[in-house]
Amino acid sequence: MLERTEAGRLANRWDSKTAEPMSEAELLLYRSNLLGADKRVTNYGGGNTSAKVMQKDPLTGEMVEVLWVKGSGGDVGTIKMDGFATLYMDKLNALKHLYRGVDFEDEMVGYLPHCTFNLNTRAASIDTPLHAYVPQKHVDHMHPDAIIAIAASENSRELTRQIFGDDIGWLPWKRPGYELGLWLEKFCLENPGAKGVVLESHGLFTWADTAEACYSLTIDIINQAIAWFEKTTAGKQAFGGPEHTALPATERRRIAAALMPRIRGMVSGNARMVGHFEDGEAVLEFVCSRDMEALAALGTSCPDHFLRTKIRPLVVAFDPGKPDLDATIESLMSSVEAYRDEYAAYYERCRRDDSPAIRDPNAIVYLVPGVGMITFAKDKATARISAEFYTNAINVMRGASGVSTYCGLPEQEAFDIEYWLLEEAKLSRMPKPKSLAGRIAIVTGGAGGIGSATARR
Ligand SMILES: [Zn+2]
C-alpha cells in the first residue's frame, strides 16, 4: 500500500520565544537549521536559504542591502553563521549589465567574489543569483522528496497547478545558474501573488517578507504535497506491487556481507572504496518490487541525487525466491563490466569538446532484490550519504510513479551537470585523501585499552 502513516506531516517547529531576540542573520540561521533537520524537507547538503538584510556599509557608513545566502558547500541543517556568503545587492543587480546570455552564464560565477560584503571569505555558490533576483526578502530553496516527486512527473506542470492553484508556479527544467536566477525574477514580477515555484526535475522555491513567514510557508507547501499524495495514492500499490518477499534480516546481512568484499575488490581499481549496506523499509519495498528494474534504469531526477549516486544504479542478479549466492557472485564481474561499458558509452555520447576526462566508471549504488542496497564510495561517510541520496530518489520515484509517469533527467542534461566545468573545479579543490582513506584495518585486541584507543584514532 502506498499509504505511510509514520511519514505523516512535518511539524512547524518555529518557537517565537527563541526567535524573538534574534537579528535577521540569526533568524536566517535558525530557520535554515530547522529546515535542514528533517531529511524530508531537503536532502543532505541540498538546497539553500537567504535573507536580504539592511546593514551598515563598513566603507561608507551608509545602510545598504546585503544578501545573506548559504555559501558553497555545507548543509542547511548544520550550517553555522560563517557558512553564509554576504554580498551587496546593488552590485548583484549591476551584474545584469555584464551578462552576455545563457551560453556565457558560467562566467558570471567569476563576478560573484567582486560583490562580497565585509571581506567575507565564504565563497558564494552557483545558486546565489536564484536568491538575489527573487524580489522578496526571504527565500528558501529546498529539495523535498514530496515536491521532487511532483517535479519529476511527466505532467508536473498540471500537477503543480492542481495541487497548489495560483499559489505556486512552475518553471521548466533549467540547470541552476545565472539564467535560472533571471527566470525566477521574471516569474516573480509577472506573478506578484505567487508564493513560490516548483522547478521541473529539481525542487521548490518559496519566498516571504519575514523569516518566520518563509519557514512556515515552506513547511505548509511540503505538507500540502504530502497530503495530496496520501489522498491520491490511497489503496494503490507502490512500484507495481511486490515481486519478491524480503529475506529475513539476518539472511539479508549474510548475503550483503558475502557480496560486499567481492564488489569492493572489483571496483577499487582506481581508488580504494568502502561500502555501506542499507535495508530500511523504503529500500526493501523498492528492491522487492515489480517495477524496480525499469524505474532504476530511468535514473534519478534531482541533480543533487545523481551527483552522489551516478546516473543509475546496478541491479545485482539475485533471486531471493531461489537464492544461489555462488551463481550471483559468479555473475558479478560481468555485471560490473557491463556497467562500466555503459558508463563509458554514456560519456562518449554526451561529451563536449571541453568536457573533463571520464571519471571512475564503476557504479556507486548496487540494488540486491529481496536484500537491500549497497553503496560504495571513497570513505564510509560518503558511502552512507550516497545511500541516503538514493533513498531520497526512491521516495521520489515512489511518489511520481504512483500518480503519473516518472521521468529521470534527460541524459545530456545529467551529463552536463556531472561533467560541468564548475563542478570539476569544485572537485579539484577538495583536499587530497588521507593516506589510509578507503583502507580497512583489523586491530587485534581492539576491545582492550591500547587496542580500542588505536581503533578510535
Ligand atoms: Zn537545488
Side-chain angles (χ1 to χ4, degrees):
M1 302 281 278
L2 262 175
E3 285 163 295
R4 280 259 179 93
T5 45
E6 85 283 0
R9 306 291 190 277
L10 304 169
N12 187 321
R13 295 169 52 225
W14 189 273
D15 180 48
S16 306
K17 268 224 142 43
T18 309
E20 202 190 287
M22 291 182 176
S23 68
E24 282 296 350
E26 287 165 340
L27 286 171
L28 172 64
L29 177 65
Y30 178 56
R31 174 174 118 223
S32 307
N33 291 163
L34 284 184
L35 288 168
D38 192 323
K39 291 286 168 281
R40 291 173 296 172
V41 175
T42 203
N43 53 279
Y44 175 80
N48 25 59
T49 46
S50 71
K52 300 178 185 80
V53 182
M54 293 306 290
Q55 281 183 271
K56 198 187 226 180
D57 188 329
L59 291 179
T60 64
E62 279 172 30
M63 295 302 280
V64 290
E65 190 173 34
V66 177
L67 176 72
W68 284 67
V69 59
K70 190 192 100 172
S72 189
D75 171 60
V76 284
T78 52
I79 192 171
K80 305 221 165 53
M81 207 56 110
D82 66 0
F84 291 98
T86 48
L87 305 99
Y88 287 95
M89 271 306 298
D90 59 348
K91 292 191 181 182
L92 286 167
N93 279 320
L95 291 184
K96 289 176 193 162
H97 303 296
L98 294 172
Y99 186 47
R100 298 196 291 151
V102 65
D103 290 342
F104 304 94
E105 68 169 344
D106 286 0
E107 73 186 15
M108 301 309 285
V109 176
Y111 292 121
L112 293 177
H114 294 281
C115 305
T116 303
F117 173 82
N118 205 18
L119 305 178
N120 187 346
T121 52
R122 174 65 56 186
S125 84
I126 45 169
D127 281 359
T128 301
L130 281 52
H131 288 261
Y133 298 147
V134 169
Q136 279 76 5
K137 300 278 179 226
H138 299 267
V139 181
D140 287 338
H141 166 47
M142 297 287 122
H143 295 162
D145 291 345
I147 298 288
I148 306 178
I150 297 163
S153 288
E154 195 176 37
N155 55 340
S156 70
R157 183 176 207 158
E158 286 94 276
L159 291 183
T160 304
R161 173 125 208 109
Q162 195 183 325
I163 301 165
F164 302 110
D166 290 334
D167 282 351
I168 301 290
W170 179 91
L171 287 175
W173 160 256
K174 178 91 205 141
R175 190 176 71 173
Y178 199 81
E179 182 74 13
L180 183 56
L182 295 181
W183 283 21
L184 280 161
E185 179 181 49
K186 184 165 181 280
F187 174 85
C188 291
L189 296 176
E190 287 173 358
N191 302 275
K195 299 171 179 171
V197 69
V198 167
L199 303 181
E200 186 184 23
S201 294
H202 183 167
L204 176 69
F205 262 85
T206 36
W207 45 74
D209 294 328
T210 68
E212 181 184 0
C214 196
Y215 169 79
S216 299
L217 175 66
T218 302
I219 296 295
D220 285 351
I221 294 297
I222 300 170
N223 276 338
Q224 231 174 300
I226 293 173
W228 182 84
F229 272 107
E230 278 179 9
K231 193 176 74 180
T232 312
T233 60
K236 282 193 207 165
Q237 288 194 312
F239 306 128
E243 179 164 334
H244 309 290
T245 312
L247 295 174
T250 46
E251 194 56 10
R252 298 199 295 267
R253 261 137 222 280
R254 188 183 71 80
I255 289 163
L259 293 177
M260 287 171 78
R262 306 279 179 162
I263 299 175
R264 181 170 185 258
M266 292 172 196
V267 302
S268 292
N270 297 326
R272 279 169 207 273
M273 296 290 165
V274 176
H276 175 81
F277 176 61
E278 174 64 49
D279 60 350
E281 192 194 341
V283 170
L284 276 183
E285 181 186 45
F286 185 58
V287 298
C288 290
S289 73
R290 201 160 292 175
D291 294 346
M292 181 264 279
E293 284 214 55
L295 282 168
L298 294 177
T300 58
S301 57
C302 179
D304 257 17
H305 294 176
F306 70 74
L307 278 174
R308 293 284 194 160
T309 62
K310 280 236 168 74
I311 185 155
R312 57 182 62 89
L314 186 156
V315 179
V316 174
F318 179 77
D319 182 354
K322 297 192 262 332
D324 184 347
L325 200 48
D326 291 337
T328 297
I329 288 170
E330 222 179 284
S331 74
L332 265 180
M333 195 65 221
S334 60
S335 303
V336 166
E337 274 168 3
Y339 188 96
R340 283 181 199 147
D341 291 346
E342 272 169 42
Y343 186 82
Y346 149 76
Y347 177 84
E348 285 305 325
R349 268 197 308 279
C350 301
R351 67 181 293 183
R352 297 181 186 274
D353 292 343
D354 57 352
S355 291
I358 187 167
R359 302 205 188 100
D360 184 358
N362 289 300
I364 294 174
V365 179
Y366 300 79
L367 301 175
V368 190
V371 175
M373 163 170 67
I374 299 164
T375 48
F376 276 95
K378 64 181 165 61
D379 55 42
K380 179 70 175 169
T382 313
R384 181 183 50 74
I385 291 167
S386 295
E388 246 176 61
F389 273 73
Y390 201 75
T391 307
N392 285 122
I394 289 173
N395 292 338
V396 166
M397 289 187 277
R398 187 179 203 274
S401 64
V403 298
S404 176
T405 301
Y406 167 77
C407 299
L409 205 56
E411 186 177 78
Q412 186 67 53
E413 292 294 333
F415 178 89
D416 286 345
I417 289 201
E418 190 177 350
Y419 283 90
W420 198 354
L421 292 172
L422 294 175
E423 200 60 48
E424 179 76 5
K426 207 153 121 192
L427 289 177
S428 68
R429 282 198 301 268
M430 300 257 262
K432 284 231 172 318
K434 293 192 175 150
S435 58
L436 294 179
R439 290 178 190 258
I440 292 168
I442 295 172
V443 180
T444 52
I450 295 173
S452 68
T454 308
R456 287 210 180 87
R457 238 185 125 78

